[in-house]
Amino acid sequence: MDATNGLQTPQLTFEEEVKAFFDSAPPLQNCAEISEKLKEFIARNSQHSDGNAKRVVCVTSGGTTAPLEQRCVRYVDNFSSGHRGATSTEYFLKAGYAVIFLYRRGSFQPFCRSLPDDPLLECFESNDDSNIRVREVHAEAVKRAIIEHEAAVADGLLLKLPYRTIFEYLQMLQMTAMSMRCLGPRGMFYLSAAVSDYYVPWKDMVEHKIQSGSHLLDVKLVQVPKMLLVLGEEWAPSAFCISFKLETDSNILLKKADKALRKYKMHAVVANELSTRKEEVVVVTSSEKITVRRNTSQPGDDVENPLIKLLSGRHLAYIEESSSIR
Ligand code: PMT
């Protein structure tokens, strides 16, 4: 597939690109419902029953798809299992945050990481009376998943919003950010989703399934505007923003993370290399590069454990600093 197709496209300013993206996106199916859920969640956690206003983090997780047909059969996908986002959500909840988990349908979910791939069929069995029970070998993991998930939902601390396409993702990120604006510096964005870099604008997309048969598939893909800048400057200007940088070549990783930090005015960029991403990451800020490693002497520890502790501490300092300025 050719990203430019050799065609001359008119040069748009960044603002025009952003506008063109949202103008051309198919409207969200359940926009009113999502908006209501966000409003309720943020109001509840601004005045939580434990008496404290919570810190609220939006964790984005999984990869977006860029459809090739309006009645989509084929799409360009992004690599991400959602493990990072789901695991981080668990540690954010432990750190006392309320979490808006914006996730790709079908990707890893918080508290379910230690369950087998097909939890329904592998965790349960029927006995002689045809009653269903949990298999002994998975009993502990199932119990833990259910109790911890129920506690987070019952306390009103976890809101899960699913997306699939780049259109859904960016519209939902925008809605979430605008709703979180009232939180000021107590709001945080932890952008671990792998977001499409190219897409086919809805108006240029064929309606029906592209027919096979021709030797070359000629599709024109347009660059998705990086919304990080808009997020930090317009949608939620006081929020604490963390983005991610993924590379497969460790020689360019830190340089690219540093560049992203400055270009998109993030408070920190988490740099990770594909093959070692579950073992270590580097948190890049304007003054430091901090390597964070999983504690290998503690069985079952995750790199997200020290990572979220570090970011939560930085976020607290940011809130204090912001209130002393006002
Ligand atoms: O889910 P796992 O399998 O556990 O893997 C986790 C992960 C490796 C996917 C995760 O840790 C990670 O690095 N996520 C970001 C991957 C990525 O897409 O990086 P990027 O260099 O393309 O983008 C950098 C940042 O810009 C990201 O925070 C992304 O949200 C943002 N972006 C990207 C493209 C785009 N058009 N707009 C954006 O805002």
Side-chain angles (χ1 to χ4, degrees):
M1 248 168 303
D2 173 10
T4 64
N5 222 11
L7 295 179
Q8 288 296 316
T9 44
Q11 279 295 313
L12 299 180
T13 63
F14 179 68
E15 288 71 24
E16 286 168 341
E17 277 177 27
V18 171
K19 187 172 180 320
F21 180 88
F22 285 113
D23 285 353
S24 82
L28 271 182
Q29 296 284 316
N30 44 354
C31 186
E33 191 191 326
I34 296 171
S35 166
E36 199 48 42
K37 281 183 179 170
L38 281 166
K39 211 167 107 189
E40 213 180 281
F41 186 81
I42 286 159
R44 188 179 327 114
N45 285 296
S46 298
Q47 192 67 63
H48 198 262
S49 53
D50 66 9
N52 294 320
K54 292 274 171 197
R55 284 181 288 163
V56 180
V57 60
C58 169
V59 174
T60 70
S61 184
T64 62
T65 65
L68 299 183
E69 302 123 341
Q70 290 185 349
R71 300 190 190 204
C72 182
V73 176
R74 303 191 185 89
Y75 51 83
V76 181
D77 208 350
N78 264 262
F79 164 81
S80 171
S81 65
H83 194 274
R84 171 85 73 224
T87 312
S88 303
T89 294
E90 294 178 26
Y91 286 104
F92 274 121
L93 288 166
K94 272 195 193 133
Y97 279 82
V99 183
I100 298 169
F101 181 61
L102 186 53
Y103 71 96
R104 161 78 177 270
R105 279 181 202 281
S107 64
F108 273 112
Q109 294 295 298
F111 307 114
C112 298
R113 294 177 289 129
S114 46
L115 300 180
D117 283 351
D118 192 342
L120 188 63
L121 298 180
E122 290 180 54
C123 291
F124 298 94
E125 60 186 357
S126 64
N127 62 14
D128 296 342
D129 310 325
S130 300
N131 285 327
I132 303 295
R133 64 175 178 213
V134 183
R135 281 184 210 274
E136 195 55 41
V137 59
H138 296 303
E140 204 39 55
V142 170
K143 196 169 129 193
R144 190 183 82 90
I146 293 174
I147 290 176
E148 292 187 3
H149 180 260
E150 274 183 1
V153 173
D155 288 346
L157 294 172
L158 178 60
L159 174 64
K160 299 210 269 183
L161 299 174
Y163 68 82
R164 194 182 301 279
T165 68
I166 180 70
F167 302 113
E168 291 169 337
Y169 171 82
L170 285 177
Q171 289 182 85
M172 287 165 81
L173 182 65
Q174 184 187 36
M175 282 174 78
T176 306
M178 308 275 246
S179 313
M180 284 175 62
R181 188 192 285 211
C182 60
L183 298 168
R186 275 193 299 121
M188 172 171 172
F189 288 85
Y190 180 88
L191 303 161
S192 56
V195 182
S196 312
D197 284 319
Y198 291 96
Y199 77 117
V200 182
W202 192 254
K203 61 177 174 33
D204 300 339
M205 213 182 279
V206 292
E207 180 185 352
H208 292 285
K209 183 184 167 198
I210 297 170
Q211 295 300 300
S212 58
S214 75
H215 180 59
L216 276 176
L217 176 61
D218 205 3
V219 182
K220 184 181 162 207
L221 297 169
V222 175
Q223 194 165 28
V224 177
K226 281 254 186 193
M227 300 292 181
L228 296 179
L229 207 53
V230 195
L231 172 77
E233 287 191 341
E234 287 177 30
W235 299 345
S238 309
F240 190 63
C241 294
I242 312 294
S243 76
F244 277 70
K245 189 81 226 157
L246 172 68
E247 292 294 341
T248 51
D249 179 353
S250 57
N251 293 320
I252 60 167
L253 179 62
L254 293 184
K255 215 180 272 173
K256 298 276 297 252
D258 211 39
K259 194 172 160 202
L261 181 83
R262 282 178 281 114
K263 186 166 178 191
Y264 304 116
K265 302 187 180 134
M266 295 285 106
H267 295 99
V269 174
V270 180
N272 52 175
E273 202 239 291
L274 188 66
S275 61
T276 57
R277 70 189 191 283
K278 289 191 180 168
E279 302 303 317
E280 73 167 50
V281 298
V282 180
V283 176
V284 178
T285 70
S286 55
S287 55
E288 296 162 293
K289 289 187 176 54
I290 308 162
T291 303
V292 179
R293 290 197 181 87
R294 182 172 78 84
N295 183 352
T296 47
S297 59
Q298 204 177 309
D301 193 43
D302 305 290
V303 67
E304 288 81 2
N305 182 12
L307 173 63
I308 303 310
K309 280 193 185 126
L310 172 74
L311 294 176
S312 163
R314 295 300 164 104
H315 186 199
L316 272 181
Y318 173 75
I319 296 171
E320 275 167 26
E321 197 182 297
S322 307
S323 62
S324 69
I325 293 169
R326 271 183 288 162

